[in-house]
Amino acid sequence: TVAGSARFLRTTAVWADAVLASMALPALAADGVTTIEEDPFYLSLGAYFVSRTNATLRLDRTAGLATIGTSLNWEQDLGGETSLTVPRLDGYYRFAPKHRVDFSWYKIERGGQIVTQRSIDFGDASFPAGTPINSAWDTETIKLTYTYSFYRKPEIETSLSLGLHVTDIDMSMQ
């Protein structure tokens, strides 16, 4: 099994939360704001449509001076899903008239099953032709952004954003 690191994702999210939380009080004081707007929250639960994907992946290993690996087409070589619908969560919290924290989350879990038509070397694993393979390719994306609005009216908002976009990728073949 070849897997990414969920620990990195959690650590990054914790640091981002701490930094953004420490920015909230000075921002409120700088704007002279003592109360929060009437509707400081926005939350959207929707769907993310993944369709007609065409993905290629490769994981190499070094054997002495040589690099060994195989390029794989997710759909053709591993029988991977090409279309699916996943839940998505988006929103923001406006803690002062010119300051807000935006967030987004979605997780795509794709699977595949196939009997290989050719030999496949993937990382340290080898699969001879004719081997049944179950595979998974999962991605989880978290976006966390601080936004400062230079100009804000009910019809339009001009702002500058700085944030994190963290994607955790796990891929496995058995």
Side-chain angles (χ1 to χ4, degrees), residues 89-109:
L89 181 66
D90 294 285
Y92 66 79
Y93 169 60
R94 187 177 299 278
F95 55 89
K98 293 185 177 187
H99 306 273
R100 76 174 192 233
V101 176
D102 301 84
F103 59 90
S104 182
W105 171 87
Y106 58 92
K107 185 172 187 175
I108 302 169
E109 296 175 312

Side-chain angles (χ1 to χ4, degrees), residues 58-159:
R58 182 178 177 99
L59 179 64
D60 293 329
R61 67 181 166 100
T62 303
L65 298 175
T67 300
I68 301 169
T70 306
S71 290
L72 299 173
N73 180 290
W74 168 251
E75 296 79 14
Q76 293 174 0
D77 294 327
L78 298 176
E81 294 175 274
T82 60
S83 299
L84 64 149
T85 303
V86 298
R88 180 177 175 135
L89 181 66
D90 294 285
Y92 66 79
Y93 169 60
R94 187 177 299 278
F95 55 89
K98 293 185 177 187
H99 306 273
R100 76 174 192 233
V101 176
D102 301 84
F103 59 90
S104 182
W105 171 87
Y106 58 92
K107 185 172 187 175
I108 302 169
E109 296 175 312
R110 300 192 301 168
Q113 294 180 330
I114 199 164
V115 175
T116 63
Q117 301 299 309
R118 63 184 176 114
S119 294
I120 296 174
D121 291 320
F122 193 76
D124 292 331
S126 292
F127 302 91
T131 303
I133 296 178
N134 291 316
S135 55
W137 188 347
D138 303 334
T139 59
E140 182 174 19
T141 301
I142 297 174
K143 301 176 192 177
L144 191 60
T145 308
Y146 165 76
T147 299
Y148 175 78
S149 299
F150 294 102
Y151 179 79
R152 188 164 168 260
K153 296 290 180 189
E155 314 79 38
I156 191 167
E157 181 174 14
T158 304
S159 59

